[in-house]
Structure formats: C-alpha cells, structure tokens
Amino acid sequence: MKTIKFLTTVMALAIVAVATAVEKPKMDIVPLSEDRAVVSILNGTEAVFELSISAKDGGLVYYKQAANPSLTYQKIFDFKNIEDGDYTMDLRVNDTRLVRDINVSSKGIVVGESKMRIDPYFGFSDNVLKLTYLNFDQERLSLNIYDESGLVYESKLGQEFNIATGFDLSALAAGKYEVVLTSMSNDFSFSLEK
C-alpha cells in the first residue's frame, strides 16, 4: 500500500511537470462576416497537427492533417453551406488538444473560449500499470482492462481533477491486454503485454 501511495505522489509531481512542459499551440478563430471566419494556428515549435470540426451530434464536418511539420496555419472557413447549430473545432498537436465551441446561425458566428486538454499518460513496468490524467472537465472516469475474451477488470476513478494512480496487474495471466480510460466525451486506450 505504501508503494502505491508513493507511486501516486511521484506521478502527481510528474503530471505537474508534464503540464508545464507540454506543447502549447494557439488557435484563434475570428469571424469575418455572418458566415465566414479565419482560423489561425501557431505552434511553439514545428509540429504536425490535426484540425477537425464536428457537429455536436458527432458528425464530422471538416478534417485536415498536416502533411509536414509547421509553425503556422491559416485558413478562411465558409460556414454558409452548413446547418445552423453548435459545432466543435478541435486542434490536436502531439498529446495536446485545443477545443473551441462555435455556434453558427443566421445572426453570425459566435466562438467560445479555448479549452486545453492533454491526453493521459499510461505506463507499464514491473506488473504495475501507471496512469496520470488531468481531468479538466471533471467528468466521471472509469478504467477497463480487456483481454481477447472480454472485460477482465474495471474501476471507477471518480471525477477528481488530477488522476494519478497505479494498478497492480501481477494477478493477470500472461498475454495481451487493452486498457481503456473512459469519460462521457472521450475514450483513451493503451495496449500492454505481460
């Protein structure tokens, strides 16, 4: 038990260090007219990025993956041919995401605040699965472990902001496993082999 508490403390310190050292891209969305907006992306270092626009019901409206690393990207988007409603613009650079809500209506384009998200860290060594995650939205989280026959372990992690924990997997048989961290809006997976 002391080992798990020690690991949790070490992982909490590591996640703070990672959060301050993480790639911090910037994404500005500036409406130009009732149905057009310019999107500008600036990375601190050259990086490959993914940019997507999704409807709130989950339908993908736009997707672009940069072919080469770059510092900047700029594009004018024309929203006149999409339905009025709520959309999400999602920029992914490495393990960092910037998310902005956009409302499109006949009155114009309204852009929400920028929200930064960081993918969880998974590690596995000496039969211990390590997990750290900054739960910015404080969603209810669960961790599930699957083998080829199905679910072998599940744990409710709660909705704390800082999730830093370890799981002793020494009781699991040798083999391949899929670890899935689940919230209401995201699933993150990690493959491991014992």
Side-chain angles (χ1 to χ4, degrees):
M1 191 62 162
K2 287 183 181 179
T3 302
I4 297 292
K5 286 186 178 184
F6 174 73
L7 283 173
T8 302
T9 303
V10 169
M11 286 190 299
L13 292 172
I15 204 164
V16 169
V18 167
T20 57
V22 72
E23 183 77 34
K24 294 182 182 177
K26 294 181 182 177
M27 177 175 57
D28 289 321
I29 305 169
V30 179
L32 298 174
S33 65
E34 291 179 359
D35 53 10
R36 295 176 62 184
V38 64
V39 175
S40 301
I41 297 170
L42 176 64
N43 295 316
T45 59
E46 286 191 347
V48 173
F49 67 89
E50 295 176 47
L51 180 66
S52 64
I53 301 174
S54 302
K56 286 294 184 173
D57 65 9
L60 187 64
V61 175
Y62 174 84
Y63 178 81
K64 174 176 180 54
Q65 180 175 6
N68 299 309
S70 65
L71 287 172
T72 62
Y73 172 79
Q74 191 169 48
K75 178 175 174 61
I76 296 175
F77 285 87
D78 190 342
F79 292 98
K80 72 179 173 191
N81 293 323
I82 66 171
E83 294 181 22
D84 288 358
D86 294 320
Y87 296 86
T88 300
M89 186 168 288
D90 190 337
L91 170 67
R92 178 177 289 277
V93 178
N94 299 323
D95 292 338
T96 304
R97 292 176 48 223
L98 284 180
V99 179
R100 297 198 72 175
D101 292 330
I102 302 170
N103 178 271
V104 177
S105 71
S106 59
K107 296 178 184 176
I109 300 167
V110 178
V111 180
E113 294 294 318
S114 181
K115 300 177 221 171
M116 185 171 73
R117 302 294 179 259
I118 302 169
D119 288 351
Y121 165 80
F122 293 97
F124 181 69
S125 64
D126 299 325
N127 281 317
V128 175
L129 171 66
K130 300 170 190 120
L131 166 68
T132 58
Y133 181 60
L134 292 176
N135 186 10
F136 287 96
D137 297 316
Q138 295 188 309
E139 296 179 298
R140 292 190 195 288
L141 300 172
S142 63
L143 181 97
N144 298 314
I145 302 175
Y146 301 90
D147 66 7
E148 59 276 346
S149 62
L151 182 67
V152 295
Y153 178 80
E154 77 178 311
S155 176
K156 304 292 183 203
L157 300 178
Q159 56 191 85
E160 297 297 316
F161 172 74
N162 182 16
I163 303 293
T165 188
F167 297 90
D168 182 354
L169 303 183
S170 59
L172 293 179
K176 294 182 180 182
Y177 294 89
E178 191 72 19
V179 178
V180 180
L181 177 66
T182 302
S183 70
M184 288 295 292
S185 59
N186 289 299
D187 289 335
F188 301 98
S189 62
F190 174 72
S191 298
L192 66 89
E193 187 169 350
K194 284 189 57 170

